Amino acid sequence: MKKIYFIGGGQMVEAIIRAIIHNKIVEEKQITVFDIDPSRLQYLAETYGIEVVFNEKSGFRDADLIIIGVRPQDDIKTIGSLIDQYADQTATILSIVAGVTLKKLESYLQNRFALARVIPNTLTDTGFGYSAATLNELADKTKIDSFLNGFGKVEYMDESLLDIFTGYGVAGPNYIYYFIESLADAGVLAGLPRDLSWKVALENMNGAVEMLKLSGKHPRQLLDINNSPGGVGINALFELNKSDFAAGLQSSVLTAVKRTSQLGGETK
């Protein structure tokens, strides 16, 4: 890549920049960012050594990957007009705006561009987590694959699955964070010091995931192995089942998927 131009410099954009620099996908001098907040631009320039621009028009120069990194509620139609006027026709336009379809993006552009919709994972610094991507017929995934894998992993899919994947997969760390927090609180409630409870919760989470990978077993099979008749584990699961934990989690995912779809309808 010659240049990557980010339109918008919020938290998600910063996380992507931090990861692709750390993983040596591009050099700092290849990254340009525009944001409406000058203090934000100053922070990004000082922290990461990247180029920032205070006029969004000037950032298109030599950019072969243009990232739309604003909120769904922002004026994406105007951004489309700027892309039409100033972007090179060979550039790939990549949107990380939740809920905004390729069809809607295309409606903001008079010219035809290679377009990609990507919903980034929030585990950018770890190398874990899947981003979801879908492309129009002009886009070539070989041109963006190294970029997307620079802040985790990527799954390419039909656009019809993207909102579902956002509410389930991309929002997935939220559910895990909440579970671990609740589990650690349970240890404290039972009488353990918080630092010990926290350490055990993290270790059990990591170990359980590794057991699932190594054994190849279904979670229910491991539950059956761990729970002896009338024992501690099965009694604990009985209480957890009564709490409707599974239904609550599944309802949370469905609500997140619904909200993702609504965001597209709020786009200007």
Side-chain angles (χ1 to χ4, degrees):
M1 296 178 190
K2 293 179 294 183
K3 279 272 192 176
I4 301 176
Y5 178 34
F6 290 89
I7 304 174
Q11 295 297 323
M12 192 69 247
V13 166
E14 180 183 356
I16 291 172
I17 289 172
R18 185 170 60 242
I20 61 175
I21 290 175
H22 175 77
N23 293 321
K24 301 187 185 329
I25 303 301
V26 292
E27 297 178 2
E28 292 87 338
K29 64 183 180 181
Q30 294 174 271
I31 299 172
T32 303
V33 181
F34 166 78
D35 194 88
I36 59 173
D37 182 356
S39 64
R40 182 68 180 165
L41 290 177
Q42 183 178 354
Y43 162 79
L44 291 170
E46 291 174 353
T47 304
Y48 301 103
I50 60 176
E51 180 184 2
V52 298
V53 291
F54 296 89
N55 182 329
E56 64 267 41
K57 298 174 185 177
S58 60
F60 290 99
R61 186 179 60 255
D62 297 328
D64 55 359
L65 181 58
I66 298 165
I67 316 295
I68 304 174
V70 299
R71 303 173 304 165
Q73 302 92 333
D74 291 334
D75 191 356
I76 300 175
K77 186 175 182 179
T78 295
I79 293 174
S81 178
L82 290 169
I83 291 170
D84 267 329
Q85 293 179 66
Y86 299 104
D88 191 292
Q89 197 70 44
T90 62
T92 297
I93 315 302
L94 191 155
S95 168
I96 63 170
V97 186
V100 181
T101 65
L102 288 174
K103 184 177 180 180
K104 182 166 281 190
L105 288 170
E106 287 171 343
S107 74
Y108 297 146
L109 298 164
Q110 297 299 315
N111 298 314
R112 296 203 70 208
F113 284 90
L115 290 179
R117 273 188 71 197
V118 176
I119 308 300
N121 77 78
T122 59
L123 302 173
T124 50
D125 298 306
T126 69
F128 292 101
Y130 286 103
S131 296
T134 190
L135 315 177
N136 75 353
E137 68 276 9
L138 297 180
D140 180 356
K141 76 176 184 180
T142 63
K143 292 185 176 181
I144 61 172
D145 197 65
S146 64
F147 169 75
L148 297 180
N149 281 282
F151 51 91
K153 302 176 177 70
V154 59
E155 284 285 340
Y156 295 92
M157 60 189 67
D158 188 271
E159 190 171 25
S160 64
L161 296 176
L162 216 63
D163 286 354
I164 300 171
F165 191 89
T166 302
Y168 171 68
V170 177
N174 284 358
Y175 313 129
I176 306 301
Y177 297 147
Y178 189 82
F179 171 75
I180 292 176
E181 179 190 38
S182 300
L183 184 59
D185 284 348
V188 176
L189 179 65
L192 287 179
R194 181 163 291 279
D195 60 341
L196 178 57
S197 183
W198 181 248
K199 183 166 67 172
V200 170
L202 289 177
E203 189 69 12
N204 280 338
M205 175 65 74
N206 289 331
V209 170
E210 284 303 308
M211 278 295 292
L212 286 167
K213 290 179 179 178
L214 291 171
S215 69
K217 295 182 183 297
H218 189 278
R220 177 55 59 183
Q221 291 175 286
L222 293 178
L223 282 169
D224 286 343
I225 292 170
N226 288 348
N227 295 318
S228 58
V232 172
I234 195 66
N235 272 274
L237 282 179
F238 175 71
E239 287 297 321
L240 194 58
N241 286 334
K242 285 199 299 183
S243 74
D244 246 355
F245 168 76
L249 179 58
Q250 290 157 9
S251 179
S252 296
V253 171
L254 293 178
T255 300
V257 171
K258 181 180 178 181
R259 180 56 183 153
T260 303
S261 299
Q262 289 173 342
L263 287 171
E266 296 173 7
T267 306
K268 292 181 179 179

